[in-house]
Amino acid sequence: MTASLHLPKYLRRLALLALVLGLPSTAGAAPAPLPRLSLELGGAQGPQQLSASLQILLILTVLSLAPAVVTMLTSFARIVIVLSFTRSALGAQQVPPNSVLVGLALFLTTFTMAPVWTQVNEQALKPYSSNVITYQVAMERAAEPVRAFMFRQVRQSDLELFVGMSRLPRPQGPAEIPTYVLAPAFIISELKTAFIMGFIIFIPFVIVDMVVASTLMSMGMMMMPPMLVSLPCKLLLFVMVDGWHLVTQGLLSSFH
């Protein structure tokens, strides 16, 4: 069964107007044809067509899960949590805004994961696009660099926790640990590492708050909010020590 989806009359007029306004006028040139979209629905003629349809469905499912994969199975979670702790420690709740923090975290994630993505491209994507390897082999090769990255960052105790909870036989090496066991262990390891780094960042700013509060009380200025004085002091301290440079350097160094 074949169903043709024709553009409504008003859409065709808008498309023609867009072509007239967007293209330079050419005397004697034939008008550009309007696009026609066809949707074909029918039964599979064999197992190969059914397999291709299932692969397309699987690819669409993977693409829908891509944001979760990027945020949880890469360095993004640790980076964005540490940046959020830095903003909270400064006491400026809306500066930098969330869009800036997330954008910076994405760029730092791209920088951190660039060697991993290069290996995936060289070992899996290029051979698969050249029809050198099959889809299954490409998936296995693409998972190897990502798993190696997660194994470098995961804590042994977290890995043992999920291996024990899955009731799997004691693995003899990293290759025997399935990805569904490695992924949650990696995530909670990233959360603990990010909270440790956030605690270290908080310490100097808490000291500044305590010094300012003690100074105001000793001067008898109990009605003045300590945050009103400590915020400029913390901003000045953060700028003088080049805080963003130090935080970024610490984040990137923690992955090596």
Side-chain angles (χ1 to χ4, degrees), residues 22 33 38 44-45 47 65-67 81 109 118 125 138 148 165-166 172-173 190-191 197 203 207 211 215 249-250:
S38 296
Q45 301 298 325
L65 296 176
I81 290 174
T109 302
T118 301
L125 295 181
M165 295 298 293
S166 63
Q172 301 300 320
E190 288 293 285
L191 290 177
M197 297 181 68
I203 291 177
I207 294 175
V211 170
T215 303
Q249 183 181 8

Side-chain angles (χ1 to χ4, degrees), residues 80-248:
V80 75
I81 290 174
V82 171
L83 293 179
S84 300
F85 270 121
T86 304
R87 183 177 64 179
S88 300
L90 284 171
Q93 299 300 325
Q94 301 297 329
V95 181
N98 290 330
S99 58
V100 175
L101 288 184
V102 174
L104 178 58
L106 286 174
F107 278 106
L108 292 179
T109 302
T110 303
F111 179 84
T112 305
M113 302 297 296
V116 177
W117 292 339
T118 301
Q119 293 180 17
V120 172
N121 184 44
E122 295 292 335
Q123 298 177 9
L125 295 181
K126 285 186 177 180
Y128 176 70
S129 61
S130 303
N131 294 324
V132 177
I133 59 177
T134 62
Y135 174 77
Q136 290 78 10
V137 176
M139 290 295 294
E140 293 176 358
R141 291 187 179 182
E144 290 177 0
V146 180
R147 284 170 53 88
F149 170 79
M150 290 193 290
F151 272 117
R152 289 196 302 268
Q153 307 302 326
V154 70
R155 294 186 304 149
Q156 188 69 24
S157 58
D158 296 330
L159 196 57
E160 292 176 354
L161 168 65
F162 285 95
V163 170
M165 295 298 293
S166 63
R167 298 183 180 179
L168 293 174
R170 184 175 182 85
Q172 301 300 320
E176 298 183 5
I177 299 177
T179 304
Y180 75 87
V181 174
L182 174 61
F186 169 78
I187 292 170
I188 64 173
S189 296
E190 288 293 285
L191 290 177
K192 180 174 182 179
T193 304
F195 273 67
I196 291 174
M197 297 181 68
F199 173 75
I200 296 174
I201 292 173
F202 253 99
I203 291 177
F205 297 107
V206 171
I207 294 175
V208 172
D209 287 334
M210 294 175 61
V211 170
V212 170
S214 300
T215 303
L216 291 178
M217 291 186 63
S218 63
M219 296 175 62
M221 304 174 65
M222 299 181 182
M223 300 300 296
M224 177 175 289
M227 182 62 65
L228 188 64
V229 180
S230 64
L231 179 59
C233 296
K234 290 188 290 187
L235 290 176
L236 179 62
L237 174 65
F238 193 74
V239 172
M240 290 181 61
V241 300
D242 200 358
W244 291 116
H245 174 85
L246 294 177
V247 171
T248 304

Side-chain angles (χ1 to χ4, degrees), residues 32-43:
L34 292 177
R36 180 174 178 272
L37 177 64
S38 296
L39 178 63
E40 183 176 352
L41 300 175

